[in-house]
Amino acid sequence: MSALDPDPGPPPVGGEAAEVLVTIERFLADQQPGEASGTLTRLLEDIALAGKLIASRTRRAGLTELLGKAGVVNVQGEDQKLLDVYADEVMTSLLGGHGRVCAIVSEEQAEVRVLDPDAPYVVVHDPMDGSSNIDANVSIGTIFGVFRREDPTAEPVQTDWLRPGRDLVAAGYVLYGTSTMLVYSVGQGVHAFTLDPEVGEFLGTWTDLRFPDDAAYYSLNFASLPHWDSGMTRFVEWLNRDDTPTLSQRYIGSAVADFHRNLLHGGVYGYPGEIDRPEGKLRLVYEGAPLAFLAAQAGGRGSDGARDLLDITPTDLHERTPVFLGNADLVDQLERCFADGE
Ligand code: AHG
Ligand code: MN
Ligand code: MN
């Protein structure tokens, strides 16, 4: 194939290339014709618009002095980057005020924000994931999950948002990479859309994405190897058990980007607990659970090493958990490696 050949070839993934040109708004509406009010559809459209705004600002980051720190420390004790703050504000301003979103849980906010007490949905999000990569022009993303309240007429209560991932009705991410891509599921498979920046629309790229059976990658930060326990050591030995390993190692340090690559090409991403930090680094509510929901919808799994991430009920908004996401057979194997030491 020459560099000028317009044929991109078959998708390198376990999904179907979109057959017709379709915007995300049209796809969402067609996918959920039974949803009486269309409220969830419009909520997801709001998130798509937030993704466009954040993508636009991300592309201009180097031009508009957005690189660097905002000068404040967030609830995790981490420096907030300006893009973290901007992305958090965009999500809040677009999701509030329509009677759709009762409350928002954000990595960047210590407390839950109740926007509209009578609204039916709760959104959890990590507005800017992988923000340590911003300065270096590496892919970053926004992760989101949506819960439907059991009783929207009642006062909002903690159990509206401290819920296991299995209760999610939608989840997804926007990846700000070489292109901007929105990947989401409402429990009917995983679908991916690419932003055409000239037209300003997310256009269908793949429907029904599935982790390919032949996984290509594992994604772990091996600098932490001395801090991992024996279960992880067994898993690493298993990954490298042959003279000619079938999996390559790839680690970006943006969970969204690592997850996305492994979704397309097959693999497992992990942020393990450590001996002195058994809870790991990633947050269950707005990182682990939404990505586990997507993984399950794509035929894969999410685990904390022993339990399915979707089964864990959080007790704190910013609860941390070890996170493993990817092909089901790889996550199963990882759990066996942890269980072997018990
Ligand atoms: P965030 O930018 O939202 O704080 O999340 C960063 C997370 C995750 O995206 C990534 O996989 C991990 O931190 C990288 O951490 P290490 O640099 O310790 O590997
Ligand atoms: Mn994150
Ligand atoms: Mn973040």
Side-chain angles (χ1 to χ4, degrees):
M1 187 170 96
S2 83
L4 297 176
D5 191 334
D7 179 5
V13 300
E16 297 293 323
E19 285 183 4
V20 292
L21 196 60
V22 62
T23 64
I24 193 166
E25 288 83 4
R26 175 59 56 87
F27 187 87
L28 280 164
D30 290 349
Q31 198 190 23
Q32 301 177 91
E35 203 212 348
S37 66
T39 306
L40 179 59
T41 297
R42 286 198 283 277
L43 191 163
L44 294 170
E45 289 173 5
D46 291 339
I47 291 176
L49 177 55
K52 289 181 199 175
L53 290 166
I54 298 167
S56 166
R57 190 65 77 98
T58 300
R59 273 202 314 278
R60 298 182 57 76
L63 302 171
T64 54
E65 298 181 0
L66 274 164
L67 293 176
K69 297 183 172 68
V72 288
V73 171
N74 71 7
V75 65
Q76 322 289 341
E78 300 157 344
D79 289 327
Q80 280 185 322
K81 304 282 179 143
L82 287 171
L83 275 171
D84 289 314
V85 177
Y86 175 78
D88 188 48
E89 288 173 0
V90 167
M91 288 289 278
T92 307
S93 61
L94 282 174
L95 292 172
H98 307 294
R100 298 193 260 277
V101 178
C102 166
I104 296 189
V105 173
S106 166
E107 179 189 345
E108 302 302 334
Q109 299 293 329
E111 305 294 338
V112 64
R113 281 173 294 180
V114 175
L115 304 175
D116 184 344
D118 299 327
Y121 291 102
V122 168
V123 173
V124 296
H125 70 111
D126 175 355
M128 191 52 76
D129 174 68
S131 49
S132 68
N133 285 313
I134 293 172
D135 303 21
N137 215 343
V138 174
S139 297
I140 48 183
T142 299
I143 306 171
F144 64 89
V146 183
F147 293 107
R148 185 181 286 120
R149 297 174 67 208
E150 277 170 16
D151 183 3
T153 63
E155 282 288 302
V157 285
Q158 195 164 276
T159 47
D160 285 329
W161 41 86
L162 291 184
R163 298 170 68 171
R166 218 167 275 292
D167 288 352
L168 287 163
V169 294
Y173 55 81
V174 185
L175 173 65
Y176 313 105
T178 44
S179 61
T180 299
M181 190 165 247
L182 192 153
V183 177
Y184 84 97
S185 176
V186 291
Q188 300 168 33
V190 178
H191 312 295
F193 296 78
T194 306
L195 180 63
D196 182 328
E198 302 203 353
V199 181
E201 298 275 10
F202 279 107
L203 300 175
T205 305
W206 293 299
T207 55
D208 294 313
L209 276 171
R210 311 275 300 172
F211 286 94
D213 288 339
D214 293 328
Y217 301 117
Y218 59 85
S219 309
L220 298 163
N221 184 348
F222 276 104
S224 300
L225 184 66
H227 305 287
W228 292 340
D229 70 12
S230 55
M232 271 310 287
T233 311
R234 276 189 289 278
F235 185 56
V236 171
E237 283 168 2
W238 180 84
L239 287 169
N240 297 301
R241 64 201 176 282
D242 299 326
D243 292 338
T244 51
T246 53
L247 301 181
S248 283
Q249 193 260 358
R250 295 276 193 283
Y251 187 76
I252 296 169
S254 285
V256 169
D258 280 307
F259 179 90
H260 183 74
R261 185 202 50 247
N262 293 349
L263 172 60
L264 298 190
H265 299 294
V268 60
Y269 162 86
Y271 206 107
E274 297 174 4
I275 292 164
D276 295 332
R277 189 172 64 158
E279 72 279 14
K281 177 181 181 185
L282 299 196
R283 282 53 61 109
L284 173 62
V285 173
Y286 41 79
E287 293 177 317
L291 292 177
F293 180 88
L294 285 173
Q297 283 294 316
R301 285 196 58 209
S303 171
D304 73 348
R307 296 170 294 174
D308 196 305
L309 281 174
L310 295 177
D311 290 332
I312 304 173
T313 303
T315 56
D316 183 87
L317 293 180
H318 302 287
E319 181 170 323
R320 295 178 193 267
T321 177
V323 166
F324 301 95
L325 298 154
N327 282 56
D329 58 336
L330 292 173
V331 178
D332 289 347
Q333 178 63 38
L334 172 115
E335 287 182 340
R336 280 194 290 277
C337 289
F338 274 98
D340 280 352
E342 288 174 359

